[in-house]
Amino acid sequence: MSVVSRIENEEDVQIIKEYTLLPILLDMLTRDMEELKIYKDKIVYNHVLFYLKEVETAIYPQIQSIKNSMKKRDIKVLNTTTNAVGINVEYKVRGYIYYFTMLRSLVKAELMTTLMNMRRSV
């Protein structure tokens, strides 16, 4: 029988980070697909759009999986705010409230890493 610590651990933080970043990635993909429409008469447009839609489609099951993990681990995101500096997240892990901030540069780097990893799996 495994006993889950009441204190947050590295895996909890990673789950919160992914839960925070994936919706941002979805927004970015939607925005970029819309902006790419001006190139719809170009040869590669359909290929790029197809790839972006595949990535977008792959994100939804990941979000659902993360939500299931959060439920099992008793993790809840209480508040997420975005400002010029970055993203602030308030969350609860097994009854204890924690906070973290990701600077914009880190958010961008994490999103690019996530996108590259998804490209390998799609």
Side-chain angles (χ1 to χ4, degrees):
M1 175 199 247
S2 68
V3 177
V4 179
S5 172
R6 292 186 60 81
I7 303 171
E8 78 170 347
N9 58 41
E10 189 68 32
E11 194 174 342
D12 297 332
V13 174
Q14 185 63 34
I15 289 170
I16 295 292
K17 189 163 66 168
E18 289 175 13
Y19 181 78
T20 303
L21 291 175
L22 287 176
I24 295 170
L25 185 54
L26 280 174
D27 289 344
M28 285 176 48
L29 288 170
T30 301
R31 180 201 66 207
D32 289 352
M33 285 188 284
E34 190 62 35
E35 288 179 7
L36 286 172
K37 284 185 179 177
I38 62 171
Y39 300 106
K40 65 183 171 191
D41 59 337
K42 303 295 181 187
I43 293 173
V44 296
Y45 169 77
N46 287 323
H47 297 291
V48 172
L49 194 62
F50 178 77
Y51 165 71
L52 293 176
K53 286 182 179 180
E54 276 188 330
V55 170
E56 181 183 44
T57 302
I59 291 174
Y60 291 107
Q62 278 190 296
I63 291 173
Q64 191 59 47
S65 175
I66 290 168
K67 285 181 179 181
N68 291 339
S69 294
M70 289 173 66
K71 190 172 185 177
K72 287 178 190 171
R73 299 172 73 88
D74 194 19
I75 300 172
K76 294 180 181 125
V77 172
L78 303 174
N79 190 21
T80 303
T81 56
T82 305
N83 56 38
V85 176
I87 299 172
N88 300 311
V89 181
E90 178 185 13
Y91 58 100
K92 186 188 285 189
V93 177
R94 294 175 285 284
Y96 292 90
I97 295 177
Y98 299 94
Y99 304 88
F100 81 79
T101 299
M102 288 193 317
L103 299 176
R104 275 185 136 12
S105 57
L106 177 61
V107 170
K108 183 178 179 180
E110 288 286 340
L111 289 172
M112 292 303 108
T113 301
T114 301
L115 193 55
M116 294 301 283
N117 290 336
M118 292 190 80
R119 187 181 88 184
R120 292 184 186 122
S121 66
V122 172

